[in-house]
Amino acid sequence: MSTLKGERHVLVKEFIFAADETRSSKTKKAKNNETKTTAASHDPIFDALKQWRTEQAKTTNVPPYVIMHDSTLIALAQAKPQTEDDLIGIAGMGEKRRVKYGHAIVEIVRGL
């Protein structure tokens, strides 16, 4: 009550969030991802992996990103794994995906 009567003072801090900064960092991130995808789209390994992913998605009746994200396909195209063990440590390639898709991915990469 003493605060309401003016007998006690309260320090209030005002936090101002710069919406423009947040938006610009998201925009930069989106542009960076777009650049990576554009550069990868000229890579025959990336193209083959993307085609394989689309076929898998149609077979299992799920969207392609559920099978594997573009960022994972880019990482795979850059790493050029020659064995299933080479898939360990690639972002987006957990144990389940490695077991389920590892053989097919390695065969695609080896074939190119």
Side-chain angles (χ1 to χ4, degrees):
M1 269 320 242
S2 61
T3 304
L4 294 175
K5 292 180 182 178
E7 297 170 356
R8 184 171 151 210
H9 296 284
V10 177
L11 177 64
V12 177
K13 289 187 178 183
E14 182 177 356
F15 293 99
I16 299 173
F17 296 99
D20 292 339
E21 287 179 21
T22 304
R23 192 171 298 140
S24 67
S25 67
K26 287 182 182 178
T27 303
K28 287 177 189 175
K29 193 173 190 178
K31 285 183 181 180
N32 190 22
N33 287 341
E34 185 178 309
T35 303
K36 285 181 184 176
T37 304
T38 303
S41 66
H42 299 293
D43 183 343
I45 295 174
F46 175 77
D47 292 338
L49 289 170
K50 199 165 183 176
Q51 182 179 352
W52 166 81
R53 179 186 66 177
T54 301
E55 292 167 5
Q56 291 296 312
K58 286 180 182 177
T59 302
T60 56
N61 201 26
V62 297
Y65 67 84
V66 172
I67 303 296
M68 217 164 283
H69 290 272
D70 276 352
S71 58
T72 304
L73 297 181
I74 291 169
L76 288 166
Q78 290 172 344
K80 297 175 180 60
Q82 298 299 306
T83 66
E84 289 184 43
D85 287 339
D86 292 343
L87 298 171
I88 297 171
I90 295 177
M93 285 302 301
E95 182 64 23
K96 288 182 182 178
R97 280 199 178 119
R98 189 171 66 86
V99 169
K100 190 170 184 177
Y101 304 123
H103 182 73
I105 291 168
V106 169
E107 289 301 312
I108 291 167
V109 173
R110 282 184 185 165
L112 295 175

